[in-house]
Amino acid sequence: MDESGLISSQTLSEIISEVVGKYVVESEFVLEGEYSIPVEISRRHIHLTRAALDILYGKNYQLTKVRDISQPGEFASEEKVIIISPKMKIIEGVRIVGPLREYTQVELAMTDAFLLGLDSIPTRLSGDIAGSQPITLVGPKGSLTLTEGAIRAARHVHMTPQDAEKYKVKNGDRVKVETEGKNGVIFKDVIVRVSDKSKLAFHIDTDEANAANIKGPVFSRILY
Ligand SMILES: [Zn+2]
């Protein structure tokens, strides 16, 4: 204040920046940071073992890569299968995602599961298929009935150990992730998957993407 009792503009700006600075530190809304994690949508797809591909497409058949997807090394193949539920409901054109794996697994959104009459499909991380839903796969060379293998993929965030340090999370953590935009959604129980072979991405299925009104490239952030 000067002698006239008025606050000089210099002092006023100092006061403002002090108050705002305090707010910035204390407010949970600004602590969350930028929307920096790309959102990627997984359409229904299937992973196969060598033995399963032998049955469906023929002995030693090699998948044809259409494009690289998501995580390093993974690719969408040209080859697709038909899936048939025990209730005789069918979905055609389910894409095989390569490379071949140690397990055969069908990843469906809830809407797909309803279409197939699979009313108790479990939500699981990839590879965790024990006790999941039965499903039959049909390819051009044969068919294969799985006693288990149909799951709804649990929403998850892939990141490197460096990302994990930056976001202050660790492998297996369950976090809340918010998508940007006017109709953004806060997803609970998002599982953090840390690997040095990962690329930073928040993976959701088509139903979840529709709920969040996601049409083009969108980013998300972890809420703390
Ligand atoms: Zn993923």
Side-chain angles (χ1 to χ4, degrees), residues 163-182:
D163 294 325
E165 210 166 291
K166 175 181 164 190
Y167 292 111
K168 297 181 172 52
V169 293
K170 53 187 192 306
N171 190 48
D173 278 0
R174 283 170 183 264
V175 295
K176 274 185 254 172
V177 177
E178 179 190 25
T179 59
E180 66 179 340
K182 189 160 175 277

